[in-house]
């Protein structure tokens, strides 16, 4: 019940395209859903996050869509750029603080 | 922008040896975490720490592991007797409040030989 399932495992997108990564969770106690971006040799960096009281949050080219009834959330990267090539992790946490991470998606944006 | 600092960046140790991984969290953050990432795999929770005590720990965090905040700025992870399977990237993270995003350090790559 603590798992967060992430798909796809890898994604290749042309420059300017839309990248979409999906996550699903089981535990209804999760109340904070961040996305992290990780470049090789670096720690994950918080990209954008959402709470379940809203269905969408947008920051620049990055948008989270959240479907509480389906227990799913997704990251959309608009106008994808080669510099967006990285591994993306979704996560979910309860108000106890611990985050459970998805398995990660390796995004490659081709020029 | 404030950073979480981890040292060393890479540590090689012999099986059975003790290692201490060090972290300096962001100064006004109150919640501290250790996670690990075996090469190419997911980020796994080890332990959370608040108010000078462990809040939660995972099954991975057995008696060989301990954490300490010895001086109000450093946050350390000790592995008493390392095993080959402890080889991984260890990330320290901190957050200002519960249920908010973390700031991660750049990690310590631990290699047990």
């Amino acid at each position: 019940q603590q798992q967060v399932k992430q798909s796809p495992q890898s994604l290749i997108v042309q420059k300017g395209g839309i990248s979409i990564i999906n996550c699903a969770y089981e535990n209804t106690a999760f109340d904070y859903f961040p996305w992290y971006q990780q470049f090789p040799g670096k720690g994950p960096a918080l990209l954008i996050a959402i709470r379940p009281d809203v269905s969408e949050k947008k920051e620049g080219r990055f948008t989270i869509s959240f479907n509480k009834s389906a227990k799913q959330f997704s990251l959309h990267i608009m106008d994808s750029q080669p510099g967006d090539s990285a591994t993306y992790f979704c996560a979910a946490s309860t108000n106890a603080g611990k985050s459970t991470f998805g398995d990660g998606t390796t995004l490659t944006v081709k020029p | 922008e404030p950073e979480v600092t981890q040292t060393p960046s890479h540590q090689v140790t012999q099986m059975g040896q003790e290692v201490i991984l060090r972290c300096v969290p962001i100064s006004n953050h109150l919640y501290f975490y250790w996670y690990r990432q075996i090469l190419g795999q997911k980020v796994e929770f080890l332990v959370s720490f608040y108010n000078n005590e462990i809040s939660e720990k995972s099954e991975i965090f057995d008696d060989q592991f301990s954490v300490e905040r010895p001086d109000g700025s450093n946050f350390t992870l000790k592995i008493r007797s390392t095993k080959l399977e402890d080889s991984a990237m260890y990330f320290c993270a901190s957050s200002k409040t519960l249920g908010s995003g973390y700031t991660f350090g750049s990690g310590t790559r631990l290699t047990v030989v």
Side-chain angles (χ1 to χ4, degrees), chain A residues 32 36 38 51 95 97 99 103, chain B residues 35 37 42 98-99 101-102:
Chain A
Y32 181 75
Y36 291 88
Q38 185 180 31
R51 296 197 185 272
N95 58 12
S99 275
D103 286 346
Chain B
Y35 281 76
Q37 186 178 32
K42 71 162 62 176
L98 270 181
Y102 299 164

Side-chain angles (χ1 to χ4, degrees), chain A residues 5 25 27 36 41 47 51 53-55 60 62 64 83 86 89-90 108:
Chain A
K5 294 182 181 177
Y25 64 97
N27 186 354
Y36 291 88
L47 192 61
R51 296 197 185 272
D53 52 345
V54 297
S55 60
F62 301 92
I64 300 178
F89 292 94
C90 64
T108 303

Side-chain angles (χ1 to χ4, degrees), chain A residues 48-75:
Chain A
I48 187 172
I50 198 167
R51 296 197 185 272
D53 52 345
V54 297
S55 60
E56 186 174 281
K57 183 173 181 180
K58 185 175 179 178
E59 288 183 2
R61 296 184 295 110
F62 301 92
T63 300
I64 300 178
S65 297
F66 187 84
N67 185 330
K68 189 173 180 178
S69 60
K71 290 187 278 186
Q72 295 174 347
F73 58 111
S74 58
L75 176 70

Side-chain angles (χ1 to χ4, degrees), chain A residues 3-4 31-32 34 36 38 41-46 51 87 89 93-104, chain B residues 33 35 37 40-45 48 55-58 89 91 97-107 109:
Chain A
Q3 279 189 330
V4 176
D31 64 357
Y32 181 75
Y36 291 88
Q38 185 180 31
K42 298 291 185 184
L46 181 64
R51 296 197 185 272
T87 300
F89 292 94
S93 66
T94 66
N95 58 12
K98 165 193 161 185
S99 275
T100 300
F101 282 73
D103 286 346
Chain B
Y33 311 88
Y35 281 76
Q37 186 178 32
Q41 297 186 25
K42 71 162 62 176
V43 179
E44 297 177 293
F45 171 76
S48 58
S55 312
E56 190 172 356
K57 58 185 180 179
S58 71
M89 280 290 283
F91 291 106
T97 60
L98 270 181
S100 62
Y102 299 164
T103 303
F104 279 90
S106 291
R109 179 174 298 284

